[in-house]
Amino acid sequence: FTHMASPKYLEDLSARGNGAMKKRIARVYDIARERPQAIDTAKRVELLKRYGIDQQVVTLFNIVDSNAIPGDAPEKVRLARAINDSMAAIMTESKGRLLAAASVPLEALEPGGLKEMDRAIKTLGLKAVAFPSHLHGKPLDSPEFLPFWARAAELDVLVFIHPSNPLTPDGRPYAFNPGSPERV
């Protein structure tokens, strides 16, 4: 798999207008200057053909995903919806060569995130869900995320967990107690 973003989504995101957001978007465009296939579906498909690759899974860049961008629950659901629409458009433009992963706002599961997950998978036809390996330092097996995992199992959807650096130098202190083989 690899990362990709739709220029339409980046334009929509840019309309939010704050400086931090513009820096995130500029970072994606910096990548696209060296690798235009990061935002250009036709160029991505051309490369697949050149190298004899039938299909590729694409996920959104973590820095512009609904889980990375500050905002309240309704805003996170709105962003996830825009992301998922743009990822579905990439799949359509590629004529099936690119299989896209959805964004699910983990901090907004009950106020609409699970419904958006259903729409992304069942209606838009996205093939997976992708997010970072922790959410602002919180492990993905935290109790509040259990509804996500239950829905993912129910939908039988693939979940891509993208490695991300821990927030602190000691890594995952919540995973194991050094004096005990049991999880804390």
Side-chain angles (χ1 to χ4, degrees):
F1 85 98
T2 188
H3 298 298
M4 190 168 182
S6 154
K8 181 185 179 323
Y9 170 67
L10 295 174
E11 290 167 17
D12 290 348
L13 195 57
S14 183
R16 291 174 54 103
N18 73 29
M21 189 62 57
K22 293 193 184 302
K23 285 181 183 178
R24 289 172 188 255
I25 295 165
R27 204 163 145 209
V28 174
Y29 280 118
D30 284 346
I31 292 167
R33 269 192 282 290
E34 287 183 40
R35 292 170 276 174
Q37 68 273 17
I39 61 169
D40 186 322
T41 302
K43 287 190 186 315
R44 174 67 55 108
V45 170
E46 178 185 311
L47 286 172
L48 294 178
K49 289 177 183 175
R50 182 183 314 157
Y51 293 108
I53 299 170
D54 294 327
Q55 290 184 313
Q56 185 177 57
V57 175
V58 292
T59 65
L60 185 65
F61 293 89
N62 281 349
I63 59 171
V64 290
D65 181 69
S66 65
N67 289 300
I69 296 172
D72 62 10
E75 179 64 5
K76 287 188 173 290
V77 172
R78 188 194 73 73
L79 282 173
R81 188 173 186 85
I83 291 165
N84 296 335
D85 288 343
S86 73
M87 297 306 276
I90 287 170
M91 280 190 356
T92 300
E93 291 167 17
S94 77
K95 296 181 174 61
R97 299 292 295 264
L98 299 173
L99 306 175
S103 177
V104 175
L106 293 175
E107 294 174 308
L109 291 174
E110 294 308 322
L114 290 174
K115 286 181 184 173
E116 178 53 27
M117 181 178 178
D118 289 341
R119 185 185 82 89
I121 303 304
K122 293 178 180 179
T123 304
L124 298 178
L126 299 181
K127 306 302 182 191
V129 175
F131 44 72
S133 56
H134 63 82
L135 189 65
H136 313 296
K138 188 174 287 194
L140 298 178
D141 59 354
S142 293
E144 66 261 40
F145 302 143
L146 290 178
F148 164 81
W149 293 108
R151 186 64 54 87
E154 179 184 314
L155 294 171
D156 195 28
V157 66
L158 181 66
V159 177
F160 279 94
I161 300 174
H162 189 290
S164 55
N165 291 330
L167 296 180
T168 61
D170 56 353
R172 273 189 88 190
Y174 52 79
F176 293 99
N177 178 339
S180 168
E182 297 177 31
R183 287 191 64 142
V184 188

